[in-house]
Amino acid sequence: MVMAGGGSSALCAPMKATSEGVWQGDSPLRFSLPLIILQVCLVLVLTRGLAFALRPLRQPRVIAEIIGGILLGPSALGRSKVFLNNVFPAESLTVLDTLANIGLLFFLFLVGLELDPASLRRTGRRAFAIAVAGISLPFAFGVGSSLALRAAIDPAAPRGPLVVFMGVALSITAFPVLARILAELKLLTTDLGRMAMSAAAVNDITAWILLALAIALTGSGSPFVSVYVLLCGIGFVVAATFLVRPALVYMARRSPAGEPIKESFVCSTVAIVLAAGFATDAIGIHALFGAFVIGVLIPKDEGAYAGALTEKMEDLVSSLFLPLYFVSSGLKTNVATISGAQSWGFLALVITTACAGKIGGTVAASLLMRVPPREALALGLLMNTKGLVELIVLNIGRDRKVLNEEAFAILVLMALTTTFMTTPAVTAVYRPARRGGGASAYKHRTVERRDAEDSELRVLACFHASRGIPTLINLVEASRGTRRSKLTMYAMHLVELSERSSAISMVQRARRNGLPFSSSRRSGGGGGGEVVVAFEAFRRLSAVTVRPMTAISDLNTIHEDIVASALHKRAALLVLPFHKMLSHDGTMEPVDRAYHQVNVRVLGSAPCSVAVLVDRVLGGAAQVAAPEVSYAVLVFFFGGPDDREALAYAARMGEHPGIELTVARFAVTGAAPRANADKDEEALQRYVTRALKSGDGSVKYEEVAAAERGDVTAAIKALGRGKNLVVAGRSAPVSAPLVEKSDCPEMGAVGSYLATPEFSTTASVLVVQRYNPRSDPACCSRPAGDEDAEEAVVPFPSSSSRPAPESESESQHSR
């Protein structure tokens, strides 16, 4: 029996599908269904574990899947005959390969869905020239490498097909992997990203044409057979364009946005994809080619047809079936065949020629098109990205006997190396040129200001999920005041960048020039439909301008979007959601622990005041209409800049006719004396004493004397009963922490206690930090009115500094 890695055997008896169970004496490993289930589970656990391990290196998941396939093959675990004979026996490989190729068929259909022929026609002269150079030079290098490879490693390989396969392998750019890397680096919607995507799209189409040529040349018959295959392939594309595309357009036009796509349309599309795959396989090209062509032909700008198909297929295909293809490829990859100085020398030669051809050709063309040198080098590195399409080319070459095992292993390692180096290399050589975008005129960075009654208050409020929208809207309604100038709110939906194909199109809709942008249009950057509808309804019913936007990014870098957007929008207050949400039993459950670090990083580098909102459903689970607002708001005042900022914000709420504001001033015995106590008195005089003298009864004032920690917590708990919202400063000067151990020390002594169920399970909490230019790493000079800036009492964990914003002006981003 021939084992996996050495090819399948015609002598293997076919497996039965299901067993009768171990109690009947049947081993599940000798039946195809339980065995494929075990193989799928093993593949998913291994590849997802590797993807998690490689996440700190910001590697795309395709790297983990390629490595996982190699580890399961004869290069690592497959060296054990016991493992190979029981988990991947030769007689099971037909089922595995069939499932893998079905998954691959639909994945290439999804890749075709991402490519828009109309956008290719709009490809600029620079992108087209870069694409041509990025194909031509590496293809020429591939021809030279193929001749050397054939002479030294595989003299029996057919020369013509080997030349074309090597040329395609070295010149290809993996379009889906490149899109993912660009989205990860926040470059997808920049000029560099758009140029790279356009060039990669041209490259992808050209590579498939060349691959079809290479497959046609591998026929074992007369040379006329290859000509017939090519002519039939061209005929298939023509027939699909004029016969199948009208049906696809018909279904697209009858799938309006906002409505579910008909089940009959999905079924028809799946049947068309499979029929196209059958037709191209019968022609002698490959079934993948037909699926790819159908994906390209589906209209992208008519209704929700293309997007709905992607959403319905991508999870099952990308998460379940596609990893099987990497395992199928890994079972054929034996790194041990690369032995001796000659083999390792050829590996170095192939990697060098691949990088030199792709990077060199792209950089040369970019410089000729007057692209700046640093951008040209980054573009060359990005275009050198390989991935799944590379493996498809190599596997077809191996199946057609163009590549032997050693050449196959060399080229697989080349693809792995070039893709692995892309992200760290681009990060090292290129950081987008960022300018202030008018930040020098950005003066109103706090709620407390001398001209508060005459200036607009801008708030950037973030939220994790749609369940947080009612609380956010009710908070803004309470904050708009009545005697102040208008309030403008930017509502930012924080979305983690996923591995889904649809995430790329989401990023393209929600970002502009590398940053999130706001839009009042439903098709704009506002994100999901329900989010836009909720804020649009609130905007029409209130005097508040609300502009929804979406930040789609990796959670390790999403703080950069938040900070840069606050700077672009000239926000005076940045509202962050607490990293825990209220559960049904009244406890606070973590949303995602990564959001905790997001808050820490933003607090440490924000360009304005920050408030962390502990959401305990302010006003209930629905928006409260303005005439029906009836909230009891409590603000704790211990003294210091953060407490003064909290008081200024709460005083604005106190202007609302439906809000009763209570100010509780604490005099803590043993606390360190404040250097600016006179400013505390001035703030109380400005926001409390005047309101009390007006006699409208909307503001109440209490003084609390507390000597020990227990007295402080008891007073806080008693005052908080019956309140809807509690506001406190982050760096309140208390003598000791109010909780024994806190999992959110960045909230400060009082804030950490207010976030616990011991304080309340019904009152929402807002912990405020005043902007301090001394702790702003990007501040060159202090804004007017901030000469009295004080250092924060609560230190921050170390975090990376944020980038400055893109060069778009505020007016451009807020349209």
Side-chain angles (χ1 to χ4, degrees), residues 419-444:
T419 306
F420 191 92
M421 63 180 276
T422 299
T423 300
V426 173
T427 305
V429 304
Y430 179 73
R431 293 292 292 178
R434 300 177 185 270
R435 288 159 284 186
S440 59
Y442 177 21
K443 302 298 182 184
H444 295 151

Side-chain angles (χ1 to χ4, degrees), residues 123-136 199 202 361-362 364-366 368-369:
T123 299
R125 187 167 58 93
R126 290 200 301 178
F128 186 78
I130 290 168
V132 171
I135 295 172
S136 305
V202 175
T362 303
S366 301
L368 288 174
M369 303 306 294

